[in-house]
Amino acid sequence: MTPALLASALLLFVTLSYASLCAASPFGNCRKCRGFGHAIKTDRKGRTKRGKDCRRCKATGKRIRVGRHVYNVAARLHRDGTR
C-alpha cells in the first residue's frame, strides 16, 4: 500500500467517524466550563462552591459541534436555494 493511499484512507476514516459522531451527538461539552454551566470557585477554607454562570454556553454546559454547525448552515442554504 502506498503512503498516499494509506493517508487518504486514514483521512476518509477520520472524516466519516467525525460525521457519525456529529449525527449521533450534535452537542458536546462547553470548553470553557467543561460542561458544568458555571465556574467552580473555592472559598477561603478551600471548599468548592458555585461561581458565575458561563457566558459562552449561557449556563447550559453544552455547545454545538463544528461539524454539526457546518451541516446546519449547508442544509439551510440548500433549503433556501430550492424554494
Side-chain angles (χ1 to χ4, degrees):
M1 210 167 180
T2 64
L5 185 61
L6 183 64
S8 62
L10 182 65
L11 183 65
L12 182 65
F13 175 73
V14 169
T15 303
L16 291 177
S17 298
Y18 185 68
S20 64
L21 176 69
C22 288
S25 175
F27 296 99
N29 287 336
C30 176
R31 289 187 203 99
K32 186 173 181 180
C33 64
R34 291 185 224 118
F36 288 115
H38 54 81
I40 303 293
K41 291 173 56 174
T42 57
D43 59 3
R44 289 192 278 175
K45 292 183 179 180
R47 292 181 295 204
T48 59
K49 64 181 217 173
R50 190 180 202 282
K52 290 183 178 180
D53 288 344
C54 179
R55 294 187 301 170
R56 182 180 289 178
C57 65
K58 298 183 180 106
T60 61
K62 296 293 180 186
R63 63 168 177 87
I64 193 160
R65 295 185 194 274
V66 174
R68 186 60 183 208
H69 178 71
V70 169
Y71 173 77
N72 288 347
V73 168
R76 188 177 311 121
L77 183 66
H78 176 72
R79 185 175 51 247
D80 291 344
T82 57
R83 279 191 191 165

